[in-house]
Amino acid sequence: SAIASYRRISDIVQLQRAIVEEYRRAFSLLRQDRHFTPDEIDHICTVYSNIIAESLKNVDDVLAVANSSTVQMNDAERLKIIDDAALRVEEHYSALRRFTRRAAGVSLERATTKRDAEKIKEMYGIQ
């Protein structure tokens, strides 16, 4: 029960939620962004989907360790698995955000007018 209430598990779930929200936000922006071809948008969505799938595997691993009494390991081993999974989910979140920033940068580079560039900056929250 101590494992199930471990704060890192809550952090992982919250970060996974943030990953999904970031994906939704970015995908919405991409659909509005005329600087990407449909093939480029498909590629970007594939990258996002892969990041989400990998981070979900970590969540599944954590839940299996936290909830399973059939897994033969001590609490220290369980905590290590949870901590390692948390680090990987944090890396996935960072990767997703970096990828979104790169896409925004590409869109900005493709802007043909100052007004277009300003609109892109506003859309993506670029300073």
Side-chain angles (χ1 to χ4, degrees):
S1 66
I3 298 296
S5 63
Y6 184 45
R7 171 94 175 134
R8 278 300 250 180
I9 294 172
S10 173
D11 294 344
I12 291 168
V13 171
Q14 289 175 4
L15 196 52
Q16 184 63 41
R17 185 177 298 129
I19 288 171
V20 171
E21 288 303 316
E22 177 71 18
Y23 165 77
R24 285 182 182 158
R25 184 187 73 79
F27 185 70
S28 174
L29 292 173
L30 287 169
R31 287 188 304 185
Q32 299 172 39
D33 194 331
R34 61 183 174 78
H35 296 107
F36 294 105
T37 67
D39 286 343
E40 289 173 324
I41 291 174
D42 285 346
H43 171 73
I44 292 168
C45 289
T46 298
V47 171
Y48 285 150
S49 295
N50 289 339
I51 292 170
I52 289 172
E54 286 301 311
S55 67
L56 281 173
K57 287 180 187 176
N58 291 311
V59 172
D60 289 343
D61 290 346
V62 166
L63 294 177
V65 167
N67 294 327
S68 177
S69 60
T70 61
V71 178
Q72 296 293 323
M73 64 180 68
N74 64 39
D75 285 349
E77 292 168 325
R78 291 174 195 266
L79 293 175
K80 172 90 170 98
I81 290 170
I82 293 167
D83 286 338
D84 290 348
L87 291 174
R88 288 189 303 271
V89 171
E90 289 168 2
E91 289 168 4
H92 292 130
Y93 182 64
S94 294
L96 186 78
R97 292 185 56 117
R98 270 193 316 274
F99 194 75
T100 301
R101 283 192 304 272
R102 285 186 196 138
V106 168
S107 181
L108 190 56
E109 287 174 7
R110 292 177 179 177
T112 55
T113 66
K114 185 174 181 174
R115 183 174 179 210
D116 194 23
E118 291 302 317
K119 182 178 177 184
I120 292 166
K121 288 178 180 180
E122 183 181 325
M123 276 177 52
Y124 289 98
I126 299 171
Q127 299 290 325

